[in-house]
Amino acid sequence: MTERELFDSYNKDVYKTCFYMLRNAQDAEDLCHDVFVTIFRQDWSRIEHIRSWIMRITMNHCLNLLRKNQTQRQKQSEVQMFHEQNTATVKPVDAIVMEKAAAKEWEELLSQLPDKLMAVVTLRYIGELSMAEIAETLKIPVGTVKSRLHKALKIIRQKLEHNKRYLVKGENQFGAY
């Protein structure tokens, strides 16, 4: 496999992971570039599980940047939306609005998670990695992956229930329009 073939094969996965971890298109693009620079500087042709290795490098780069910019990450007010380039069907406007609202809520929930939990959720649901691949990527046991994923989903579920109760309470308080 040539460098170009490697880049073409994994560029979208690396960018998508960077984007969901950083929630900023420009930072994700820059970090994606840095990841491939790191990969090409190493003897990647001898790596047995190349996808897991690349995703581990990607997560390490993301987590390092997040640690560096912890205060900046907390101050972000707007979340940029990531759309797949190959959208074949035209959707009704109300469906697009609902998708954007759901995506924004998901992004806000993810941003409230600790970095370790956010990394596992991102790799599982955005990167579509298996538990074993996540464990290999983050260099942690599969049991730790499962417990972090469980804890993250529990936190997200609690926040969703809290938001739902808040909305219902708010509707009762102010009445219908």
Side-chain angles (χ1 to χ4, degrees):
M1 182 182 292
T2 67
E3 287 182 352
R4 183 68 188 176
E5 291 171 337
L6 181 80
F7 178 81
D8 289 342
S9 297
Y10 297 103
N11 181 43
K12 287 183 181 180
D13 289 338
V14 170
Y15 176 79
K16 193 179 347 176
T17 301
C18 290
F19 179 81
Y20 278 97
M21 287 296 293
L22 304 173
R23 290 173 302 285
N24 181 296
Q26 186 61 49
D27 288 346
E29 194 172 306
D30 292 344
L31 206 60
C32 183
H33 175 267
D34 293 346
V35 166
F36 281 100
V37 168
T38 301
I39 290 168
F40 294 146
R41 285 184 178 165
Q42 298 182 24
D43 187 13
W44 56 270
S45 61
R46 297 179 190 227
I47 303 297
E48 186 177 344
H49 301 287
I50 193 91
R51 184 171 191 256
S52 296
W53 180 71
I54 289 172
M55 296 310 289
R56 179 176 42 225
I57 292 170
T58 302
M59 289 306 296
N60 286 341
H61 275 72
C62 289
L63 291 171
N64 288 340
L65 186 62
L66 286 172
R67 282 185 208 109
K68 247 188 246 181
N69 300 324
Q70 189 71 25
T71 56
Q72 181 183 9
R73 183 172 66 99
Q74 293 170 348
K75 292 180 182 179
Q76 280 183 327
S77 61
E78 289 197 20
V79 176
Q80 296 181 347
M81 302 301 290
F82 176 77
H83 295 286
E84 290 293 327
Q85 296 174 352
N86 301 329
T87 306
T89 60
V90 176
K91 298 177 184 176
V93 174
D94 58 340
I96 294 171
V97 169
M98 291 301 291
E99 285 178 9
K100 285 186 177 185
K104 184 174 182 179
E105 184 177 20
W106 175 249
E107 292 293 331
E108 288 173 8
L109 289 170
L110 270 180
S111 70
Q112 295 172 10
L113 290 175
D115 291 342
K116 288 181 178 182
L117 300 181
M118 182 175 51
V120 172
V121 171
T122 301
L123 288 173
R124 180 71 178 128
Y125 296 108
I126 307 305
E128 299 177 356
L129 270 64
S130 69
M131 298 289 183
E133 290 173 321
I134 296 169
E136 188 175 333
T137 298
L138 298 177
K139 291 190 174 183
I140 57 175
V142 174
T144 303
V145 171
K146 290 178 181 180
S147 67
R148 286 182 184 176
L149 185 61
H150 176 77
K151 185 174 183 176
L153 294 177
K154 184 177 177 182
I155 290 170
I156 289 172
R157 191 176 304 115
Q158 288 172 343
K159 289 184 182 293
L160 285 171
E161 288 173 2
H162 174 50
N163 291 348
K164 184 179 176 182
R165 276 186 257 135
Y166 178 76
L167 286 174
V168 170
K169 185 178 180 181
E171 288 174 3
N172 291 339
Q173 185 178 4
F174 297 110
Y177 287 97

